[in-house]
C-alpha cells in the first residue's frame, strides 16, 4: 500500500514508523486526578457546620457491601384435603448485595494552606526526623516522602490515614500551639 504525501510516494511501513517516532517525542501526560476536596490537600470546604476560616482534611471509608443468598418461595406446596403433600413447594435462590455500612466521610481539622510555608514544612520534616519518622533531606518542600512520613506518624498516634496533616498531629509535633480553654 502506498500513500502520496507532499508530492512524495510513501509506503505504509515508512508511514507507520514515522508516526511511532513522532508519537514518542510527545511529553508523557500526568494522569489528571479528580481528588475530592480534603483527600490529598487541605480544603476550606469542610463538613457542614465547620467554623469559618478553618481548614479540613478527609478520609473516605468505603461502603461495606455484603453478598446475601436467600431462598424465596415461588410456589407453595399443594396439600390434599387429607393432609398429604401432592407437590412440593418450589423455591428460587436469589443472591443480593446489601450495603451493611454506607460510605463515610471522616473529617479532621488541619492547618490551612497559608501556613504551609517552606519554613513550616522544614520544621515538620525536622520534627518527624527527630522522632525517627523521616529520613529524607530537609528541603522545605511538601514532597511524597514527607507526606508518607507524616501519614505513617499520624497513624501511629491514632490519627487519620491521610497524606493531609491533622491539626492534632501538628500540635503533637509542636508545630502549632495547643489551644487553651479559659
Amino acid at each position: 500500500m502506498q500513500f502520496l504525501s507532499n508530492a512524495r510516494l510513501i509506503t505504509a511501513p515508512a508511514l507507520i514508523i514515522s508516526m511511532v517516532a513522532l508519537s514518542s517525542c510527545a511529553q508523557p501526560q500526568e494522569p489528571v486526578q479528580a481528588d475530592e476536596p480534603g483527600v490529598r490537600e487541605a480544603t476550606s470546604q469542610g463538613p457542614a457546620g465547620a467554623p469559618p476560616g478553618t481548614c479540613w482534611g478527609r478520609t473516605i471509608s468505603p461502603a461495606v457491601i455484603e453478598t446475601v443468598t436467600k431462598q424465596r418461595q415461588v410456589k407453595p406446596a399443594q396439600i390434599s384435603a387429607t393432609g398429604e403433600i401432592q407437590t412440593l413447594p418450589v423455591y428460587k435462590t436469589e443472591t443480593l448485595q446489601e450495603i451493611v455500612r454506607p460510605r463515610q466521610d471522616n473529617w479532621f481539622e488541619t492547618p490551612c494552606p497559608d501556613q504551609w510555608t517552606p519554613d513550616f514544612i522544614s520544621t515538620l520534616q525536622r520534627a518527624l526526623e527527630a522522632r525517627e519518622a523521616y529520613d529524607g533531606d530537609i528541603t522545605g518542600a511538601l514532597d511524597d516522602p514527607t507526606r508518607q512520613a507524616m501519614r505513617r506518624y499520624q497513624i501511629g498516634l491514632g490519627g487519620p490515614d491521610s497524606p493531609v496533616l491533622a491539626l492534632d498531629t501538628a500540635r503533637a509535633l509542636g508545630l502549632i500551639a495547643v489551644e487553651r480553654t479559659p
Side-chain angles (χ1 to χ4, degrees):
M1 183 182 294
Q2 296 179 343
F3 299 93
L4 190 60
S5 171
N6 292 339
R8 280 205 223 137
L9 200 55
I10 300 176
T11 62
L15 182 62
I16 291 171
I17 290 170
S18 63
M19 291 173 69
V20 169
L22 285 174
S23 69
S24 67
C25 293
Q27 293 292 327
Q29 296 294 319
E30 289 286 322
V32 178
Q33 292 183 351
D35 280 338
E36 297 181 54
V39 174
R40 176 100 174 132
E41 300 287 336
T43 180
S44 58
Q45 301 170 13
T54 59
C55 295
W56 296 84
R58 171 172 68 156
T59 60
I60 299 171
S61 299
V64 176
I65 299 173
E66 181 178 82
T67 301
V68 179
T69 303
K70 294 180 180 180
Q71 294 262 327
R72 184 173 58 89
Q73 188 176 17
V74 177
K75 186 176 177 185
Q78 299 293 324
I79 302 175
S80 69
T82 61
E84 290 182 46
I85 298 176
Q86 300 293 314
T87 60
L88 293 172
V90 177
Y91 291 91
K92 179 180 178 183
T93 302
E94 295 178 335
T95 302
L96 307 168
Q97 291 188 335
E98 295 178 354
I99 296 176
V100 176
R101 189 182 75 220
R103 168 189 149 146
Q104 292 180 320
D105 290 342
N106 307 305
W107 291 96
F108 56 93
E109 197 169 355
T110 184
C112 288
D114 62 338
Q115 293 176 290
W116 287 91
T117 64
D119 286 340
F120 181 85
I121 297 168
S122 294
T123 304
L124 167 66
Q125 290 169 332
R126 282 191 291 278
L128 290 168
E129 182 181 56
R131 290 160 179 84
E132 298 180 357
Y134 177 72
D135 62 358
D137 294 332
I138 308 300
T139 61
L142 190 57
D143 53 9
D144 282 337
T146 304
R147 285 182 186 278
Q148 291 167 4
M150 183 175 61
R151 181 180 151 264
R152 283 191 306 271
Y153 183 76
Q154 68 188 12
I155 289 171
L157 291 177
D161 181 359
S162 173
V164 177
L165 180 66
L167 194 60
D168 291 340
T169 305
R171 287 182 175 142
L173 289 168
L175 303 175
I176 294 180
V178 177
E179 289 185 9
R180 290 180 152 181
T181 53

